Amino acid sequence: MRPEILFPLFAPARTLPGIGPRLEKLVERLAGPKVVDLLWHLPSGLIDRRRRPKIAEARDGEIATMEVTVGLHIPPRLKRLPYRVHVSDETGEMQLIFFNARADYLAKTLPEGAQRIVSGRVEFYQGAPQMTHPDHIVGPEELAALPLLEPIYPLTAGLPLKSLQKAIRSALPSLPDLPEWQNGPWLKANGWAGWRVSVQSAHEPQSAADIAPDAAPRARLAYDELLANQLALGLVRARMKKRPGRSIAGDGRLRRKVEEALPFALTDAQARSLSEIEADMKAPHRMLRLLQGDVGSGKTVVALLAMLNAVEAGFQAAMMAPTEILARQHHASLAPLCEAAGVKLALLTGREKGKPREEILGALADGSIDILVGTHALFQEDVAFNALALAVVDEQHRFGVHQRLLLTSKGGPGTDVLVMTATPIPRTLTLTAYGDMDVSKLDEKPPGRKPVDTRALPLDRLDEIVAGLPRALARGAQIYWVCPLVEESDEVDAAAAEERYKHLRSVFGDIVGLVHGRMKPIDKDAVMARFAAGEIKVLVATTVIEVGVNVPSATVMVIEHAERFGLAQLHQLRGRVGRGTGKSSCLLLYQTPLGETAEARIKIMRETEDGFRIAEEDLRLRGAGELLGTRQSGLPAFRIADLETQKELLAAAHDDARMIVERDPELESERGRALRTLLYLFERDEAIRYLRSG
Ligand code: ADP
Ligand code: MG
């Protein structure tokens, strides 16, 4: 339960002055529905009204606060002309300009002969100073109340800055004094103040430097946010790990058979990852491990050997892929190896229905199936395992965290989990999204891979490229031809691909195939199978081939409108070639003129094939939220922290959280109790439920 001290912060934003029913919705969309959401909505700039020039000293374009005597009012002769009010001081004259003015209002606020303080932007018109719609007009006695420094906030259409300022300003004085959850020495070393003072200072910038992310108050709040994130993940992880898992240690007999059947030896990275996985499985707690490996790094065989470890020990294993094509491909590539080892493998997707499905479910429940490969059909309610010990989730970023947990529930809370991702997630994001997992890395490609020759060409040379294809075909090359994501619509994509398909087919005949997201799964599979068998030489495709598809004999990748793809996507696509022993190439066809970001992306693609570097660059070009699609990936979106500029803070928060979980796993010490408040403050209530006395 949320501590009472936080109640005022979680009150609806509409309880603040300045936010009525009309603005409430805008504020909610902009920042969030609660007072605390507004506190996290930090200024993006500042208006400095401290300059107090005389009229003769005023400079064009500057914000100034000036004391003046009101002179003549000059109402407009025509409605569209402005209302003018002459003002003066001992050094000169100026005009105040009002469009669509209400004369009675101006007569009241600017009575002739009165002293007034006006603040706003001075502009020179035909050599004379004027101020259009001053931001503030007050009497000299009200000067003290005039905000000389005003924070500027990111806004949304229809929400006036003044209303937002007023609401936030009014929330600041009554902020509760929260118990300090940060370490004293750490605060001191950074020169950070307590939470309340930091929030206040963050909203009361005194100079442009105070708007920067490294300004002390902002850095402190960012660190609070990162620590809440890391601590929550750390607590969940500690709890999951403590779940008594099974100790699984097979005798190696099946693994030996499969390794003998493999046409290659494991790379060092594969062997290392496998032994890390085996050590986790053997330990009496549950495994939560991420297997990170660039496209083509050979994750599948690592997963298979891990699953065989479970089977040797008398248990079952499951592997979940994000698409039908991938599930079938995994099944097809595992089948001969499983057969060689005498292991019973089955496939379950949405397409298995009726009697065959019943049979699979029966065999799964009585334990005669050892390894089940499938799509998310695996977590339907009627799917029951006999003794599931290991769940492997492939291409994790396509699944939400929720689904990940659902599958593990099939085997009870102790089921070991191995998540595989081909998207090389930068370290920063791994920490925030998977801080709860251990990581094994396949940072070495299988031997014999040749670099992919990557070139960029303008689209208007398409005919030349088509004319060059016969040469590649004569060499025995197979070609992927990828058409872009035109819109977020399968239908439109399919149309573009269909058109290119017709075009290429008219040139090359029936060695051209087509696969896109609108086709029936069974038809897609048939096309992929014909491509894999070499009957189809040129495969026109949309991004359905992006993830995981493996046809080693394909050596040419053409990507049309490469400028429309993200870096990660381009990298994934290029990863489809360069898998066999032949020399591979990738042609990026782009539409001119090329935008700055697109140009940077293409440049990076030409410079490197290192997925981790590409992911870092992608993060830099796109920002963290967009990288994987925040919602899909279950990545947290930070309100205050900026992962790009505050990586060091994240690393520190990670270490800090780790130490807290080690020393005070139930958050019972004085700092621990304060940290509970921090978790509630950042709405990580879920993590608190993992505490014994939560
Ligand atoms: P990914 O990590 O992208 O899922 P895969 O598991 O599909 O990669 O492997 C890509 C290709 O590399 C497959 O054809 C696989 O048989 C092959 N492969 C895997 N490990 C090795 C190895 N140690 N030596 C040679 N080839 C390997
Ligand atoms: Mg794979």
Side-chain angles (χ1 to χ4, degrees), residues 386-407:
N386 181 46
L388 179 67
L390 171 63
V392 179
V393 184
D394 191 14
E395 313 293 358
Q396 141 82 20
H397 66 280
R398 293 284 172 113
F399 295 108
V401 174
H402 176 64
Q403 285 168 309
R404 192 205 295 175
L405 293 176
L406 257 178
L407 181 62

Side-chain angles (χ1 to χ4, degrees), residues 296 299-300 326 329-330 394-395 420 422 547-549 576 579:
K299 294 181 291 294
T300 319
L326 268 177
Q329 181 179 293
H330 278 320
D394 191 14
E395 313 293 358
M420 306 199 290
V547 175
V549 175
R576 301 302 114 216
R579 305 195 138 218

Side-chain angles (χ1 to χ4, degrees), residues 262-268 270 291-303 319 326 329-330 333 337 394-395 420-422 442 444-449 547-552 572 575-576 579-580:
L262 283 176
F264 50 75
L266 295 187
T267 63
D268 288 345
Q270 284 172 321
L291 178 62
Q292 226 185 351
D294 208 349
V295 280
S297 59
K299 294 181 291 294
T300 319
V301 66
V302 174
M319 183 171 188
L326 268 177
Q329 181 179 293
H330 278 320
S333 66
L337 295 169
D394 191 14
E395 313 293 358
M420 306 199 290
T421 175
L442 294 181
E444 169 192 9
K445 291 209 174 169
R449 298 274 161 82
V547 175
V549 175
N550 189 33
V551 181
Q572 290 282 331
R576 301 302 114 216
R579 305 195 138 218

Side-chain angles (χ1 to χ4, degrees), residues 166-195:
K166 186 169 170 192
I168 295 176
R169 201 178 327 119
S170 70
L172 295 179
S174 55
L175 291 181
D177 245 325
L178 301 178
E180 184 54 74
W181 47 74
Q182 299 294 4
N183 248 334
W186 171 246
L187 285 182
K188 216 162 159 202
N190 284 291
W192 292 345
W195 178 78

